[in-house]
PDB file of all heavy atoms in Angstrom:
ATOM      1  N   ASP U 256     -10.412  17.182  13.342  1.00  0.00           N
ATOM      2  CA  ASP U 256      -9.829  18.474  12.992  1.00  0.00           C
ATOM      3  C   ASP U 256     -10.383  18.885  11.628  1.00  0.00           C
ATOM      4  O   ASP U 256      -9.972  18.355  10.595  1.00  0.00           O
ATOM      5  CB  ASP U 256      -8.298  18.363  12.938  1.00  0.00           C
ATOM      6  CG  ASP U 256      -7.642  19.679  12.546  1.00  0.00           C
ATOM      7  OD1 ASP U 256      -8.365  20.672  12.296  1.00  0.00           O
ATOM      8  OD2 ASP U 256      -6.397  19.709  12.486  1.00  0.00           O
ATOM      9  N   CYS U 257     -11.321  19.807  11.640  1.00  0.00           N
ATOM     10  CA  CYS U 257     -11.965  20.253  10.397  1.00  0.00           C
ATOM     11  C   CYS U 257     -11.372  21.556   9.885  1.00  0.00           C
ATOM     12  O   CYS U 257     -11.926  22.178   8.969  1.00  0.00           O
ATOM     13  CB  CYS U 257     -13.468  20.441  10.623  1.00  0.00           C
ATOM     14  SG  CYS U 257     -14.365  18.891  10.863  1.00  0.00           S
ATOM     15  N   SER U 258     -10.242  21.989  10.450  1.00  0.00           N
ATOM     16  CA  SER U 258      -9.745  23.324  10.104  1.00  0.00           C
ATOM     17  C   SER U 258      -9.376  23.426   8.621  1.00  0.00           C
ATOM     18  O   SER U 258      -9.627  24.450   7.987  1.00  0.00           O
ATOM     19  CB  SER U 258      -8.540  23.675  10.982  1.00  0.00           C
ATOM     20  OG  SER U 258      -7.529  22.694  10.853  1.00  0.00           O
ATOM     21  N   ARG U 259      -8.812  22.371   8.044  1.00  0.00           N
ATOM     22  CA  ARG U 259      -8.463  22.424   6.614  1.00  0.00           C
ATOM     23  C   ARG U 259      -9.722  22.457   5.752  1.00  0.00           C
ATOM     24  O   ARG U 259      -9.748  23.091   4.698  1.00  0.00           O
ATOM     25  CB  ARG U 259      -7.593  21.225   6.244  1.00  0.00           C
ATOM     26  CG  ARG U 259      -6.162  21.328   6.772  1.00  0.00           C
ATOM     27  CD  ARG U 259      -5.479  19.969   6.864  1.00  0.00           C
ATOM     28  NE  ARG U 259      -5.340  19.303   5.596  1.00  0.00           N
ATOM     29  CZ  ARG U 259      -5.094  17.986   5.463  1.00  0.00           C
ATOM     30  NH1 ARG U 259      -4.975  17.213   6.541  1.00  0.00           N
ATOM     31  NH2 ARG U 259      -4.976  17.437   4.268  1.00  0.00           N
ATOM     32  N   LEU U 260     -10.769  21.774   6.202  1.00  0.00           N
ATOM     33  CA  LEU U 260     -12.015  21.753   5.430  1.00  0.00           C
ATOM     34  C   LEU U 260     -12.702  23.114   5.432  1.00  0.00           C
ATOM     35  O   LEU U 260     -13.281  23.540   4.433  1.00  0.00           O
ATOM     36  CB  LEU U 260     -12.981  20.713   6.016  1.00  0.00           C
ATOM     37  CG  LEU U 260     -12.526  19.257   5.967  1.00  0.00           C
ATOM     38  CD1 LEU U 260     -13.519  18.384   6.730  1.00  0.00           C
ATOM     39  CD2 LEU U 260     -12.405  18.784   4.523  1.00  0.00           C
ATOM     40  N   GLY U 261     -12.644  23.785   6.567  1.00  0.00           N
ATOM     41  CA  GLY U 261     -13.349  25.058   6.712  1.00  0.00           C
ATOM     42  C   GLY U 261     -12.765  26.176   5.874  1.00  0.00           C
ATOM     43  O   GLY U 261     -13.420  27.194   5.627  1.00  0.00           O
ATOM     44  N   ARG U 262     -11.541  25.976   5.405  1.00  0.00           N
ATOM     45  CA  ARG U 262     -10.873  27.025   4.620  1.00  0.00           C
ATOM     46  C   ARG U 262     -11.119  26.912   3.113  1.00  0.00           C
ATOM     47  O   ARG U 262     -10.661  27.764   2.359  1.00  0.00           O
ATOM     48  CB  ARG U 262      -9.348  26.927   4.839  1.00  0.00           C
ATOM     49  CG  ARG U 262      -8.880  27.350   6.201  1.00  0.00           C
ATOM     50  CD  ARG U 262      -7.375  27.580   6.211  1.00  0.00           C
ATOM     51  NE  ARG U 262      -6.612  26.351   6.071  1.00  0.00           N
ATOM     52  CZ  ARG U 262      -6.091  25.663   7.092  1.00  0.00           C
ATOM     53  NH1 ARG U 262      -6.269  26.093   8.341  1.00  0.00           N
ATOM     54  NH2 ARG U 262      -5.390  24.569   6.894  1.00  0.00           N
ATOM     55  N   GLU U 278     -18.898  19.102  17.374  1.00  0.00           N
ATOM     56  CA  GLU U 278     -18.144  20.270  17.849  1.00  0.00           C
ATOM     57  C   GLU U 278     -16.955  20.568  16.934  1.00  0.00           C
ATOM     58  O   GLU U 278     -16.626  21.728  16.698  1.00  0.00           O
ATOM     59  CB  GLU U 278     -17.674  20.042  19.288  1.00  0.00           C
ATOM     60  CG  GLU U 278     -18.838  20.084  20.281  1.00  0.00           C
ATOM     61  CD  GLU U 278     -18.430  19.732  21.702  1.00  0.00           C
ATOM     62  OE1 GLU U 278     -17.287  19.239  21.892  1.00  0.00           O
ATOM     63  OE2 GLU U 278     -19.254  19.934  22.611  1.00  0.00           O
ATOM     64  N   ALA U 279     -16.334  19.506  16.401  1.00  0.00           N
ATOM     65  CA  ALA U 279     -15.200  19.712  15.488  1.00  0.00           C
ATOM     66  C   ALA U 279     -15.654  20.414  14.217  1.00  0.00           C
ATOM     67  O   ALA U 279     -14.962  21.307  13.700  1.00  0.00           O
ATOM     68  CB  ALA U 279     -14.539  18.373  15.157  1.00  0.00           C
ATOM     69  N   ALA U 280     -16.818  20.020  13.687  1.00  0.00           N
ATOM     70  CA  ALA U 280     -17.339  20.665  12.475  1.00  0.00           C
ATOM     71  C   ALA U 280     -17.621  22.139  12.745  1.00  0.00           C
ATOM     72  O   ALA U 280     -17.242  23.018  11.957  1.00  0.00           O
ATOM     73  CB  ALA U 280     -18.599  19.954  11.995  1.00  0.00           C
ATOM     74  N   ALA U 281     -18.287  22.417  13.864  1.00  0.00           N
ATOM     75  CA  ALA U 281     -18.619  23.808  14.195  1.00  0.00           C
ATOM     76  C   ALA U 281     -17.349  24.632  14.406  1.00  0.00           C
ATOM     77  O   ALA U 281     -17.216  25.753  13.893  1.00  0.00           O
ATOM     78  CB  ALA U 281     -19.494  23.839  15.454  1.00  0.00           C
ATOM     79  N   ARG U 282     -16.394  24.046  15.126  1.00  0.00           N
ATOM     80  CA  ARG U 282     -15.149  24.744  15.420  1.00  0.00           C
ATOM     81  C   ARG U 282     -14.345  24.998  14.150  1.00  0.00           C
ATOM     82  O   ARG U 282     -13.701  26.039  14.004  1.00  0.00           O
ATOM     83  CB  ARG U 282     -14.342  23.879  16.396  1.00  0.00           C
ATOM     84  CG  ARG U 282     -13.227  24.548  17.123  1.00  0.00           C
ATOM     85  CD  ARG U 282     -12.726  23.667  18.281  1.00  0.00           C
ATOM     86  NE  ARG U 282     -12.328  22.341  17.851  1.00  0.00           N
ATOM     87  CZ  ARG U 282     -12.864  21.200  18.299  1.00  0.00           C
ATOM     88  NH1 ARG U 282     -13.828  21.199  19.208  1.00  0.00           N
ATOM     89  NH2 ARG U 282     -12.435  20.037  17.845  1.00  0.00           N
ATOM     90  N   GLY U 283     -14.384  24.035  13.218  1.00  0.00           N
ATOM     91  CA  GLY U 283     -13.572  24.125  12.004  1.00  0.00           C
ATOM     92  C   GLY U 283     -14.212  24.933  10.897  1.00  0.00           C
ATOM     93  O   GLY U 283     -13.597  25.126   9.850  1.00  0.00           O
ATOM     94  N   GLY U 284     -15.444  25.363  11.103  1.00  0.00           N
ATOM     95  CA  GLY U 284     -16.073  26.185  10.081  1.00  0.00           C
ATOM     96  C   GLY U 284     -16.669  25.396   8.926  1.00  0.00           C
ATOM     97  O   GLY U 284     -16.811  25.911   7.819  1.00  0.00           O
ATOM     98  N   VAL U 285     -17.049  24.127   9.186  1.00  0.00           N
ATOM     99  CA  VAL U 285     -17.776  23.350   8.175  1.00  0.00           C
ATOM    100  C   VAL U 285     -19.258  23.500   8.490  1.00  0.00           C
ATOM    101  O   VAL U 285     -19.714  23.042   9.534  1.00  0.00           O
ATOM    102  CB  VAL U 285     -17.360  21.867   8.198  1.00  0.00           C
ATOM    103  CG1 VAL U 285     -18.172  21.068   7.194  1.00  0.00           C
ATOM    104  CG2 VAL U 285     -15.871  21.740   7.897  1.00  0.00           C
TER     105      VAL U 285
END
Side-chain angles (χ1 to χ4, degrees):
Chain U
D256 179 359
C257 290
S258 56
R259 287 159 62 198
L260 297 173
R262 289 195 291 263
E278 289 175 348
R282 196 167 55 239
V285 177

